[in-house]
Amino acid sequence: MRALLLLLLPLVLAAGSIPLPPPSGPVHCSAGWSNCTVTNAYGSFNDRKTCHAAKAVYPRTEAELVAAVALAVKEKRKVKVATKNSHSFPKLACPGGSNGMIISTALLNRVVSIDVGRRQMTVESGMLLRDLINKAGAAGLSLPNSPYFYGLTIGGLLATGAHGSSLMGKGGAVHESVVGVRIVTPAPPKSKRFAIVRKLRAHDPDLNAAMVSLGVLGVISQVTLQLEPLFKRKVTFLTNDSDADLAEMVATWGQQHEFGDIMWLPGQGKVVLRKDDRVDVSTPGDGLNNYLGFRSIPTRDIIRQRDQEEQLQKAGSDEALCQASRVLPTVFEQQGFGFSNDGKSFTGYPVVGYQHRIQAAGTCLDGPEDGLVQSCPWNPRINGTFFYNSGLSVALSNATAFIRDVLSLRDRNPNAFCDLDMHVGILFRYIKSSTAYLGKTEDSVDLDITYYRSRVKGTPGLHVDVIDELEQMALYKYGALPHWGKNRNYAFNETKERYPKLCKFLDVKSRFDSDGVFSSEWSDQVLGINGSPIIPGPGCAVEGLCTCTKDSDCAPGYACSSGKVYQDARVCSIPLL
Ligand SMILES: Cc1cc2nc3c(=O)[nH]c(=O)nc-3n(C[C@H](O)[C@H](O)[C@H](O)COP(=O)(O)OP(=O)(O)OC[C@H]3O[C@@H](n4cnc5c(N)ncnc54)[C@H](O)[C@@H]3O)c2cc1C
Ligand SMILES: *[C@@H]1O[C@H](CO)[C@@H](O)[C@H](O)[C@H]1NC(C)=O
Ligand SMILES: *[C@@H]1O[C@H](CO)[C@@H](O)[C@H](O)[C@H]1NC(C)=O
Ligand SMILES: *[C@@H]1O[C@H](CO)[C@@H](O)[C@H](O)[C@H]1NC(C)=O
Ligand SMILES: *[C@@H]1O[C@H](CO)[C@@H](O)[C@H](O)[C@H]1NC(C)=O
């Protein structure tokens, strides 16, 4: 009852003149719109620390957005944009210092215009991918590629370079479809105003900075996307009980299928190939992607599943963990991963459907805001699933050698990979090289993994050494680029050397925001401006805040040792007696 009353309160207040945030957003203020904290959709940044800000604003129009930035500049506050849910893992949404201002784009979620003839659509930056692709679809247009989860906002997903999977056309990243942005920045020093709107159009070189900006250039107000005529896709998932030719397959699959990806269950040695191609709109079929992993689950089941995971981790039996890890992938496979042929039932492959019904999913967001009865599995208001998510892009030219190394690591002890299987394995997706200054420098294959994270600081999961070795192999042996919106801190160490066009990006940053209003400790660390994302201290390697250099960086009982296949890796492992 108390919970119910608390939920009703914001609705009553919303009748007033001040726009209100959704009750479960990432921003919480204790005194009206001041004394705030900001977190992400999981309720925890990598450092497990609370981020404080002095105030939060919820502009509804570009004019209100300009006023908000002007006020912050006038009051000499640092600023960060928070989105409706803030799904990034690193501390991107936290303003610098503790006296900053949060500008939420939760209420900037409308279509500004659709030009059907030129196939362009302009939307406000807080619009969810879900609404964007549906509005485009209704106008007979398709966004050619996108992340697989539609709960992200266009402003947020662009800021981190988010992507789906493709090597054809413009490739897998959404920012390749951007042909214009309106961005609100502090005014140049000699101006009489405090904030201005900059309009960047196609072929403006500064667009290469604004496409993937980490949010440090200003607040993107509107985005114009180049769309394509509505098309359909034909999807089949092919399971192979052998991963013997995975290394060659990863290098070539993306060239054979426009939206192909590969799911690998290394513990079981199984591969699921997603054969996914564009077909003409006249092809019969009204399939729907309602991916199982992004559906609402009753809260009690989420909590029970987490309890089970905790038990398995605590018991430490490979056999039990590996057995349990087979359940989820089997259910996913049997139920066609949540795809249906007609929006209701799955009767077999191929599934044919419109691009906007196939490209992304996330029905756990669509339910009533009753997050206490059922919700997305990662709802921070309950003690549900809690995990790390890493995204690392290896140049396609290095993919085969990289996978061969991972296969030899796996072959030494397949059981060590069961935790990855439990989180539906390793997902390989394709991204093309980009003109974006902070985009991919090469055509790449992105490896995406999700794995156990303890709620207790400093507590390692089982066999973390293989995950550390796998990640470090990608990063340091094969020169992988980390996804800006995923990964643990250490993965961003020395990102500076990995982006040859970083200086061009910083040049735009200094023109748009010379005082670093939109910069934070985190953005300065990852852009190599000031400090390092490494946070040394006892147990730092367990939390991914460092790579270990000594035993005390690991959990008690663990030793900092070299990798088994990639000797230069520094991983925390239990010493053999
Ligand atoms: C379930 C799930 C599935 C995912 N699937 C994929 C996937 O398939 N592919 C993929 O690439 N990624 C995926 N991600 C990661 C995701 O793409 C990124 O974390 C993304 O940045 C989150 O978008 P957001 O709208 O929540 O932005 P936030 O995390 O809130 O913001 C990211 C950054 O952008 C800044 N920002 C946001 N809006 C603006 C604006 N208007 N102007 C200026 N700066 C702004 C913020 O300040 C912050 O610095 C997934 C995440 C989850 C939780
Ligand atoms: C700010 O909020 C915290 C709780 O988040 C509270 O303890 C503190 O008293 C508040 N400070 C002010 C000045 O309101
Ligand atoms: C399954 O994998 C094996 C070995 O990796 C390969 O020879 C075979 O062609 C694959 N089958 C399919 C249907 O992909
Ligand atoms: C989550 O678990 C912790 C520790 O077990 C407990 O203190 C906290 O109250 C729980 N939170 C919720 C929302 O159940
Ligand atoms: C490919 O890997 C080699 C080392 O094996 C590395 O030196 C090189 O930078 C990588 N190539 C790219 C394009 O990242």
Side-chain angles (χ1 to χ4, degrees), residues 36-63:
C36 308
T37 62
V38 61
T39 181
N40 55 16
Y42 326 94
S44 179
F45 291 122
N46 285 330
D47 62 5
R48 298 186 193 250
K49 291 207 179 114
T50 305
C51 167
H52 293 277
K55 59 164 102 174
V57 292
Y58 291 79
R60 290 162 298 191
T61 60
E62 189 175 86

Side-chain angles (χ1 to χ4, degrees), residues 238-246 249 273:
L238 300 163
T239 303
N240 195 331
D241 286 325
S242 161
D243 55 17
D245 64 358
L246 182 72
M249 201 51 123
L273 299 169

